[in-house]
Structures are given as structure tokens and as C-alpha cells.
Amino acid sequence: MPAIPKVIHQTWKNHHIPAEMIEFQQSWKNHHPDWEYRLWTDEDNRQFLQANYSWFLSIYDGYPENIFRVDAIRYFILMHHGGVFIDLDFECLRPLDELLDGKELLLGLEPDAHVQLLLPQARGLTHIVCPSLMASRVGHPFWQHVWQYLVENYRFPGVLDATGPFLLTRAYDTYPSQDSISLVASELLYPVTKFDCWDGKLNDPQFRQKITQQAFAIHHWHTSWFKHKSTKTEDTLPLLLMVKGRIILHSKFQFNLYQLLSDQESNQPLISCMMVTKNRFEQAKLAIQCFQNQTYRHKELVIIDDKSDSLAEYVSQLADDTIQYLRFEPENRTLGELRNLALAHTSGTYICQWDDDDLIDPLRLEMQMSALQSLNADACFLQRWLMWWVEQRRMATSRTRILEGSILCHKSKLPPYPVQKQGEDTLVSSQILQNCRVVLLDQPQLYLYVVHQQNTFSDEHFEQYWQQASARYQGINYETMIQNLSQRIPVNLYEQILEHILTKPGFS
């Protein structure tokens, strides 16, 4: 039986590895001094595919974000070269020689706690096979089986299903010759959960000593697909309750994602999301994608297209019966009038504003509705949100204030929008706050407000937000934020299309 070659593969966009990863990288070299080490850059990866598997290039180049390509390339490198492919946020504890001896292909299971999270549960997974560390002999036929899944699933909007752990899990579960694959328990390669890492347990010498007794490595989950704490199966979230403009209660509620999924089968109300768009075809597509990715199931999207490049064909191709598309000839309507047109075509009990140039986390509707229901409120707003200056490569968490664009309100409590071109949602929000029972939720990661040259407010207006921000991200902190957000929303694709977007006038 051919042996697994003694070569370690890792990948990064270039040769400038983040400082926090260098120590992990060196740990593999220290424990494997007689092994070959290869760092693949993005350029190396594409050249390798072009030279050896050019048939896959159209899919590879067509992936919406680079994280898809980072996942996919490892399945080809292991087929071609064999060896061990390892994510950069893995720390080596001892040599792998003993673990790999006599094996053709080795994969590892993620901790059971990860299986209980929302996304695996929604897909009916009972285990997760992780692609972060994989070892293989050259030419193992399992990789051809994985390639088939890559081809069949490349249109999936999420990296987990298109190239990542969910795809690998399905490929393993359907592979007819599993006896040639060694699937090892999480204790050996993934001994800690992401919660253990982020809660600082690895800084406890006793905890670390306990896991090092059996484990060969530790995955630190720096670039995990569930980076945000909001994706725990259960979390306790703080709330403020306002009644007629006055805060009367500081509260908390248990946000149990798995239970919410079960509840949605029957008794959750319909949420109507309203999106007004004009000459923003590419941005609007991303906003629609964010809507489709919402975990809340009982939803609809009403699109009012006011003389744009026409989304009609795109929406028609989606064949999504939860999306209603309406196109109107231009009559110089204000943004307030257009929002009222959308409102008139909604069917839901609750109304949610859905701007066409911002990016929304998949859990937004679910979390806001849960917060609203927990205190029997009429409406829910976010207290803080993320702001993204794309061209300046900086990001911030806003100061604490109401985000008007995050309105989720009972339809009977939502007043008509005033007939004005900007600030129309500010007046509506003020009326809701003064007259209704309102919950304020502090989960800024749910909403990414994009600052660009076509916003209806001035640069000076947004600079004030930057100066008053509760947190700012630049340099390596900015890159980390982008990397984390890319696991959940299409930030990389937004960057790619921005140059085209800036040439098109339209509403924000």
C-alpha cells in the first residue's frame, strides 16, 4: 500500500503570513524536521490548476469569493502530490508519523458540540468531517469523488456546502470504499471547540495539559465558519425595552437556534422584507442573496425596481416564490413614496426594511424576531451595526444609537413613509419609538452598512460616525474582520464589483 508522502502543504494569499499564524506554522516544521514543507500562494494555486486540472478552472475562477478557492484547491493538491494539507491556524503538538503510519487517507471529525449548531442541524448532519487537516497518498480515488461534488455543488451560495466541511462530509458519507479512509475522532486533531478557544481555555495550563495527552494538534479556529458568537446553539443576549420613548427594562433572553428551527415549522409569522432599488443591479443581487440566506423561513421579499438595469430576468431565473418583483416606470418618486409602494404589496404580519446596498448576516431576521417576541414588543431595532468604508479599507462598529434601516415592525404599527428623498426612515423610526413598545438589540455583526460614493448622505456625515465609533478596524484588524465576515456574507464579491457600482447612480 502506498504511503502518505512526508510533505506538509499550507496556503495563504501571498508569502506574508499574519504574525499570529507564524508560530503555528513553525510548530509543524519543528516537529517534522525531515519533512518537505510547501506554502502555496493564490498565484501558485491557480497555476497548479491550469497546468494539471484545467478542466476545473472555469468553476474555480467563477467562485464568488476566494475562500471557496482556498477550500477547493486542497482536494486537487492532495490528489496530485499527496501529503498533509493543514490550515494555518493549526498548532502541531507532536509528529504525525505515528498517526499516519499504515494509512492511505486520513480525515478528522470536528467536536460533537459543533454538530449541534444551527447550520449542521438544519442540514440533518450527525457529524462533520473537517477539511482543515487532511492526509492522503498520491492518487487516492476519494478525491475524484470529492471533485464530482465540487462540480455538482458549485452554485451553492455558501462556502460550507459548495467547498467546505458540509461538502466533504457528504462526500465521505456517500463514498463506497470507506474502508480505505481513516476517520479519526475529534480528540486527536480537533480536541477543543471554537468556544474553548475564544473563551481563553487554552491559556489554562491544566486544560492544555489535559488535551495534549492524546492530541496531535490543536485547531485554534481563527478562520472558522461560525466565528461569531451569535451562531451558538444557545446564547443569552441583552435587550433594552422602550415604551413610548422611555427605557423601562434592561433584560436578557435565551436565543436557542435549534429550538427556533423547530418552532418555525408551524407558528412563526410571515416577515415581509421591502427592498427599493434603482440602477444597482450588482448590489441588488447581493442583497437578494443575503435575503435567501436568512435562516428565518417564513419570509418574503418585495422588490420595487425604479428604472434600473432591470432585475426582472435575474429574479425570474431564481424561480424563488418568496420573492415578488415589481418594476415601475420612472416618475421622479421619492424614496419614501417607493417604500410605500413596496409596503402596499406586502403580505406579512411584520415588515422589515431591506436596503439594496448593505449586507445582512443570515441570522438577522431570526434574532430580531426572537428578541421582539421575547418581550411582546411591536418592533425591534439594532442598537449598533458595522460600517464599512470599502475604498479606504477600514471598518467600524457604530456608536450606540438606533439604526433606522434595521426596522422590524408589526405592520399595524408601521406609519406611512414621508414623501422625501432621504431621511424618510428616520421619521418613521421616531414615530415608532414614541408610540410603540420597542426592543433594542445589540448585535452589530447582523448588519454591515456599506459606505460608498452613492450614499444619500455626505462624506462628512459618515466621517462623524467614524470618529464616534465604539470600535475601529484598520490594518491587520481590518483584514481579520473581512476574513471572518466572508464566511457569512459576500464581502469579497462586493469589493470586486464596487468599481462598476460606483459608475451607476441610484438610491441608498
Side-chain angles (χ1 to χ4, degrees), residues 43 45 71 132 135 146 197 229-230 242 249 268-269 286 317 342 353 397 431 446 469 477 484 491 502:
E43 183 179 357
N45 292 338
D71 277 348
S132 296
V146 174
C197 289
K229 287 187 177 181
S230 64
M242 297 183 69
L249 179 66
Q268 287 293 76
L286 297 185
Q317 290 175 350
Q353 189 166 304
T397 301
Q431 291 185 51
L446 296 180
N477 292 329
N484 292 339
V491 288
L502 293 178

PDB file of all heavy atoms in Angstrom, residues 43 45 71 132 135 146 197 229-230 242 249 268-269 286 317 342 353 397 431 446 469 477 484 491 502:
ATOM      1  N   GLU A  43      -1.534  32.648  -6.284  1.00  0.00           N
ATOM      2  CA  GLU A  43      -0.996  32.544  -7.645  1.00  0.00           C
ATOM      3  C   GLU A  43      -0.509  31.131  -7.930  1.00  0.00           C
ATOM      4  O   GLU A  43      -0.758  30.581  -9.016  1.00  0.00           O
ATOM      5  CB  GLU A  43       0.149  33.545  -7.821  1.00  0.00           C
ATOM      6  CG  GLU A  43       0.737  33.567  -9.222  1.00  0.00           C
ATOM      7  CD  GLU A  43       1.860  34.582  -9.374  1.00  0.00           C
ATOM      8  OE1 GLU A  43       2.142  35.305  -8.390  1.00  0.00           O
ATOM      9  OE2 GLU A  43       2.453  34.653 -10.468  1.00  0.00           O
ATOM     10  N   ASN A  45      -1.596  28.405  -6.587  1.00  0.00           N
ATOM     11  CA  ASN A  45      -2.754  27.515  -6.681  1.00  0.00           C
ATOM     12  C   ASN A  45      -3.363  27.536  -8.076  1.00  0.00           C
ATOM     13  O   ASN A  45      -3.673  26.485  -8.654  1.00  0.00           O
ATOM     14  CB  ASN A  45      -3.808  27.932  -5.648  1.00  0.00           C
ATOM     15  CG  ASN A  45      -3.353  27.677  -4.224  1.00  0.00           C
ATOM     16  OD1 ASN A  45      -2.471  26.856  -3.977  1.00  0.00           O
ATOM     17  ND2 ASN A  45      -3.949  28.390  -3.277  1.00  0.00           N
ATOM     18  N   ASP A  71     -10.617  26.421  -0.179  1.00  0.00           N
ATOM     19  CA  ASP A  71     -11.096  25.087   0.173  1.00  0.00           C
ATOM     20  C   ASP A  71     -10.890  24.095  -0.971  1.00  0.00           C
ATOM     21  O   ASP A  71     -10.397  22.985  -0.775  1.00  0.00           O
ATOM     22  CB  ASP A  71     -12.585  25.135   0.522  1.00  0.00           C
ATOM     23  CG  ASP A  71     -12.838  25.560   1.952  1.00  0.00           C
ATOM     24  OD1 ASP A  71     -11.880  25.605   2.741  1.00  0.00           O
ATOM     25  OD2 ASP A  71     -14.000  25.864   2.282  1.00  0.00           O
ATOM     26  N   SER A 132      -9.811  20.955   7.421  1.00  0.00           N
ATOM     27  CA  SER A 132      -8.707  21.803   7.877  1.00  0.00           C
ATOM     28  C   SER A 132      -7.391  21.053   8.019  1.00  0.00           C
ATOM     29  O   SER A 132      -6.324  21.650   7.954  1.00  0.00           O
ATOM     30  CB  SER A 132      -9.070  22.463   9.211  1.00  0.00           C
ATOM     31  OG  SER A 132     -10.171  23.325   9.049  1.00  0.00           O
ATOM     32  N   ALA A 135      -4.823  14.162   5.249  1.00  0.00           N
ATOM     33  CA  ALA A 135      -3.604  13.495   4.794  1.00  0.00           C
ATOM     34  C   ALA A 135      -3.973  12.417   3.783  1.00  0.00           C
ATOM     35  O   ALA A 135      -4.981  11.717   3.948  1.00  0.00           O
ATOM     36  CB  ALA A 135      -2.858  12.882   5.973  1.00  0.00           C
ATOM     37  N   VAL A 146     -14.768  13.544  -4.490  1.00  0.00           N
ATOM     38  CA  VAL A 146     -14.967  14.908  -3.986  1.00  0.00           C
ATOM     39  C   VAL A 146     -15.111  15.885  -5.148  1.00  0.00           C
ATOM     40  O   VAL A 146     -15.954  16.797  -5.111  1.00  0.00           O
ATOM     41  CB  VAL A 146     -13.802  15.324  -3.064  1.00  0.00           C
ATOM     42  CG1 VAL A 146     -13.931  16.795  -2.656  1.00  0.00           C
ATOM     43  CG2 VAL A 146     -13.757  14.441  -1.819  1.00  0.00           C
ATOM     44  N   CYS A 197     -11.599  27.834  22.555  1.00  0.00           N
ATOM     45  CA  CYS A 197     -10.537  28.738  22.092  1.00  0.00           C
ATOM     46  C   CYS A 197     -10.861  30.184  22.422  1.00  0.00           C
ATOM     47  O   CYS A 197     -10.037  30.915  22.967  1.00  0.00           O
ATOM     48  CB  CYS A 197     -10.339  28.580  20.589  1.00  0.00           C
ATOM     49  SG  CYS A 197      -9.580  27.026  20.102  1.00  0.00           S
ATOM     50  N   LYS A 229     -20.153  34.772  17.825  1.00  0.00           N
ATOM     51  CA  LYS A 229     -20.816  34.112  18.938  1.00  0.00           C
ATOM     52  C   LYS A 229     -22.309  33.948  18.694  1.00  0.00           C
ATOM     53  O   LYS A 229     -22.956  33.124  19.316  1.00  0.00           O
ATOM     54  CB  LYS A 229     -20.594  34.905  20.227  1.00  0.00           C
ATOM     55  CG  LYS A 229     -19.172  34.791  20.766  1.00  0.00           C
ATOM     56  CD  LYS A 229     -19.062  35.454  22.116  1.00  0.00           C
ATOM     57  CE  LYS A 229     -17.664  35.285  22.700  1.00  0.00           C
ATOM     58  NZ  LYS A 229     -17.543  35.907  24.029  1.00  0.00           N
ATOM     59  N   SER A 230     -22.853  34.742  17.790  1.00  0.00           N
ATOM     60  CA  SER A 230     -24.286  34.662  17.537  1.00  0.00           C
ATOM     61  C   SER A 230     -24.702  33.325  16.966  1.00  0.00           C
ATOM     62  O   SER A 230     -25.880  33.026  16.896  1.00  0.00           O
ATOM     63  CB  SER A 230     -24.706  35.763  16.565  1.00  0.00           C
ATOM     64  OG  SER A 230     -24.090  35.583  15.315  1.00  0.00           O
ATOM     65  N   MET A 242     -38.115  49.703  25.286  1.00  0.00           N
ATOM     66  CA  MET A 242     -38.588  51.079  25.337  1.00  0.00           C
ATOM     67  C   MET A 242     -40.100  51.098  25.131  1.00  0.00           C
ATOM     68  O   MET A 242     -40.622  50.393  24.267  1.00  0.00           O
ATOM     69  CB  MET A 242     -37.920  51.929  24.250  1.00  0.00           C
ATOM     70  CG  MET A 242     -36.420  52.071  24.384  1.00  0.00           C
ATOM     71  SD  MET A 242     -35.726  53.161  23.103  1.00  0.00           S
ATOM     72  CE  MET A 242     -36.390  54.750  23.626  1.00  0.00           C
ATOM     73  N   LEU A 249     -36.892  48.809  30.791  1.00  0.00           N
ATOM     74  CA  LEU A 249     -36.428  47.493  31.218  1.00  0.00           C
ATOM     75  C   LEU A 249     -35.114  47.134  30.546  1.00  0.00           C
ATOM     76  O   LEU A 249     -34.958  47.304  29.337  1.00  0.00           O
ATOM     77  CB  LEU A 249     -37.482  46.427  30.877  1.00  0.00           C
ATOM     78  CG  LEU A 249     -37.152  44.970  31.241  1.00  0.00           C
ATOM     79  CD1 LEU A 249     -37.083  44.814  32.762  1.00  0.00           C
ATOM     80  CD2 LEU A 249     -38.199  44.024  30.652  1.00  0.00           C
ATOM     81  N   GLN A 268     -44.600  30.467  13.183  1.00  0.00           N
ATOM     82  CA  GLN A 268     -43.913  31.740  13.090  1.00  0.00           C
ATOM     83  C   GLN A 268     -44.596  32.645  12.067  1.00  0.00           C
ATOM     84  O   GLN A 268     -44.994  32.203  10.989  1.00  0.00           O
ATOM     85  CB  GLN A 268     -42.447  31.542  12.707  1.00  0.00           C
ATOM     86  CG  GLN A 268     -41.584  30.981  13.844  1.00  0.00           C
ATOM     87  CD  GLN A 268     -41.446  31.961  14.989  1.00  0.00           C
ATOM     88  OE1 GLN A 268     -42.373  32.142  15.769  1.00  0.00           O
ATOM     89  NE2 GLN A 268     -40.308  32.596  15.093  1.00  0.00           N
ATOM     90  N   PRO A 269     -44.726  33.941  12.361  1.00  0.00           N
ATOM     91  CA  PRO A 269     -45.409  34.855  11.437  1.00  0.00           C
ATOM     92  C   PRO A 269     -44.566  35.149  10.198  1.00  0.00           C
ATOM     93  O   PRO A 269     -43.339  35.023  10.209  1.00  0.00           O
ATOM     94  CB  PRO A 269     -45.595  36.117  12.282  1.00  0.00           C
ATOM     95  CG  PRO A 269     -44.498  36.058  13.293  1.00  0.00           C
ATOM     96  CD  PRO A 269     -44.309  34.601  13.607  1.00  0.00           C
ATOM     97  N   LEU A 286     -26.637  40.940  -4.552  1.00  0.00           N
ATOM     98  CA  LEU A 286     -26.059  40.535  -3.271  1.00  0.00           C
ATOM     99  C   LEU A 286     -27.072  40.686  -2.144  1.00  0.00           C
ATOM    100  O   LEU A 286     -27.123  39.862  -1.224  1.00  0.00           O
ATOM    101  CB  LEU A 286     -24.807  41.361  -2.974  1.00  0.00           C
ATOM    102  CG  LEU A 286     -23.638  41.199  -3.950  1.00  0.00           C
ATOM    103  CD1 LEU A 286     -22.432  41.988  -3.458  1.00  0.00           C
ATOM    104  CD2 LEU A 286     -23.273  39.741  -4.139  1.00  0.00           C
ATOM    105  N   GLN A 317     -35.041  33.989 -13.169  1.00  0.00           N
ATOM    106  CA  GLN A 317     -34.177  32.809 -13.203  1.00  0.00           C
ATOM    107  C   GLN A 317     -34.036  32.162 -11.830  1.00  0.00           C
ATOM    108  O   GLN A 317     -33.818  30.953 -11.729  1.00  0.00           O
ATOM    109  CB  GLN A 317     -32.803  33.193 -13.748  1.00  0.00           C
ATOM    110  CG  GLN A 317     -32.800  33.546 -15.228  1.00  0.00           C
ATOM    111  CD  GLN A 317     -31.450  34.046 -15.707  1.00  0.00           C
ATOM    112  OE1 GLN A 317     -30.548  34.307 -14.916  1.00  0.00           O
ATOM    113  NE2 GLN A 317     -31.306  34.192 -17.014  1.00  0.00           N
ATOM    114  N   ALA A 342     -43.861  49.589  -1.952  1.00  0.00           N
ATOM    115  CA  ALA A 342     -43.478  48.244  -1.515  1.00  0.00           C
ATOM    116  C   ALA A 342     -44.379  47.772  -0.385  1.00  0.00           C
ATOM    117  O   ALA A 342     -44.858  46.625  -0.378  1.00  0.00           O
ATOM    118  CB  ALA A 342     -42.017  48.237  -1.068  1.00  0.00           C
ATOM    119  N   GLN A 353     -37.287  46.482   6.721  1.00  0.00           N
ATOM    120  CA  GLN A 353     -36.631  47.251   5.664  1.00  0.00           C
ATOM    121  C   GLN A 353     -35.385  46.501   5.203  1.00  0.00           C
ATOM    122  O   GLN A 353     -34.624  45.987   6.015  1.00  0.00           O
ATOM    123  CB  GLN A 353     -36.261  48.636   6.187  1.00  0.00           C
ATOM    124  CG  GLN A 353     -35.777  49.593   5.114  1.00  0.00           C
ATOM    125  CD  GLN A 353     -35.749  51.024   5.614  1.00  0.00           C
ATOM    126  OE1 GLN A 353     -36.758  51.552   6.084  1.00  0.00           O
ATOM    127  NE2 GLN A 353     -34.588  51.660   5.534  1.00  0.00           N
ATOM    128  N   THR A 397     -17.395  49.586  14.295  1.00  0.00           N
ATOM    129  CA  THR A 397     -18.657  49.298  14.971  1.00  0.00           C
ATOM    130  C   THR A 397     -19.222  50.632  15.427  1.00  0.00           C
ATOM    131  O   THR A 397     -18.532  51.403  16.100  1.00  0.00           O
ATOM    132  CB  THR A 397     -18.453  48.381  16.190  1.00  0.00           C
ATOM    133  OG1 THR A 397     -17.848  47.160  15.757  1.00  0.00           O
ATOM    134  CG2 THR A 397     -19.777  48.076  16.861  1.00  0.00           C
ATOM    135  N   GLN A 431     -41.383  57.919  15.034  1.00  0.00           N
ATOM    136  CA  GLN A 431     -42.788  57.705  15.397  1.00  0.00           C
ATOM    137  C   GLN A 431     -42.986  56.363  16.099  1.00  0.00           C
ATOM    138  O   GLN A 431     -43.740  56.259  17.068  1.00  0.00           O
ATOM    139  CB  GLN A 431     -43.661  57.775  14.145  1.00  0.00           C
ATOM    140  CG  GLN A 431     -43.765  59.161  13.535  1.00  0.00           C
ATOM    141  CD  GLN A 431     -44.733  59.195  12.363  1.00  0.00           C
ATOM    142  OE1 GLN A 431     -45.872  58.743  12.468  1.00  0.00           O
ATOM    143  NE2 GLN A 431     -44.277  59.720  11.239  1.00  0.00           N
ATOM    144  N   LEU A 446     -24.877  41.689  12.777  1.00  0.00           N
ATOM    145  CA  LEU A 446     -26.010  41.304  11.935  1.00  0.00           C
ATOM    146  C   LEU A 446     -26.187  42.215  10.726  1.00  0.00           C
ATOM    147  O   LEU A 446     -26.872  41.839   9.768  1.00  0.00           O
ATOM    148  CB  LEU A 446     -27.309  41.309  12.756  1.00  0.00           C
ATOM    149  CG  LEU A 446     -27.404  40.304  13.904  1.00  0.00           C
ATOM    150  CD1 LEU A 446     -28.747  40.431  14.602  1.00  0.00           C
ATOM    151  CD2 LEU A 446     -27.183  38.882  13.406  1.00  0.00           C
ATOM    152  N   ALA A 469     -17.213  56.116  16.560  1.00  0.00           N
ATOM    153  CA  ALA A 469     -17.396  54.662  16.587  1.00  0.00           C
ATOM    154  C   ALA A 469     -16.962  54.063  17.920  1.00  0.00           C
ATOM    155  O   ALA A 469     -16.028  54.546  18.573  1.00  0.00           O
ATOM    156  CB  ALA A 469     -16.613  54.021  15.448  1.00  0.00           C
ATOM    157  N   ASN A 477      -6.254  44.280  11.712  1.00  0.00           N
ATOM    158  CA  ASN A 477      -7.579  44.097  12.315  1.00  0.00           C
ATOM    159  C   ASN A 477      -8.680  44.169  11.259  1.00  0.00           C
ATOM    160  O   ASN A 477      -9.669  43.439  11.318  1.00  0.00           O
ATOM    161  CB  ASN A 477      -7.819  45.148  13.400  1.00  0.00           C
ATOM    162  CG  ASN A 477      -6.929  44.944  14.609  1.00  0.00           C
ATOM    163  OD1 ASN A 477      -6.562  43.813  14.931  1.00  0.00           O
ATOM    164  ND2 ASN A 477      -6.561  46.026  15.275  1.00  0.00           N
ATOM    165  N   ASN A 484     -13.267  37.091   8.554  1.00  0.00           N
ATOM    166  CA  ASN A 484     -14.333  36.494   9.357  1.00  0.00           C
ATOM    167  C   ASN A 484     -15.707  36.719   8.723  1.00  0.00           C
ATOM    168  O   ASN A 484     -16.535  35.804   8.652  1.00  0.00           O
ATOM    169  CB  ASN A 484     -14.311  37.071  10.773  1.00  0.00           C
ATOM    170  CG  ASN A 484     -13.084  36.640  11.554  1.00  0.00           C
ATOM    171  OD1 ASN A 484     -12.451  35.639  11.227  1.00  0.00           O
ATOM    172  ND2 ASN A 484     -12.736  37.393  12.582  1.00  0.00           N
ATOM    173  N   VAL A 491     -18.655  39.698   1.294  1.00  0.00           N
ATOM    174  CA  VAL A 491     -17.869  40.934   1.320  1.00  0.00           C
ATOM    175  C   VAL A 491     -16.824  40.970   0.205  1.00  0.00           C
ATOM    176  O   VAL A 491     -16.568  42.026  -0.385  1.00  0.00           O
ATOM    177  CB  VAL A 491     -17.194  41.137   2.693  1.00  0.00           C
ATOM    178  CG1 VAL A 491     -18.208  41.516   3.744  1.00  0.00           C
ATOM    179  CG2 VAL A 491     -16.413  39.904   3.119  1.00  0.00           C
ATOM    180  N   LEU A 502     -19.860  52.042  -8.615  1.00  0.00           N
ATOM    181  CA  LEU A 502     -19.646  53.472  -8.433  1.00  0.00           C
ATOM    182  C   LEU A 502     -19.999  54.289  -9.668  1.00  0.00           C
ATOM    183  O   LEU A 502     -20.173  55.502  -9.583  1.00  0.00           O
ATOM    184  CB  LEU A 502     -18.182  53.729  -8.052  1.00  0.00           C
ATOM    185  CG  LEU A 502     -17.764  53.199  -6.676  1.00  0.00           C
ATOM    186  CD1 LEU A 502     -16.289  53.456  -6.437  1.00  0.00           C
ATOM    187  CD2 LEU A 502     -18.604  53.835  -5.579  1.00  0.00           C
TER     188      LEU A 502
END
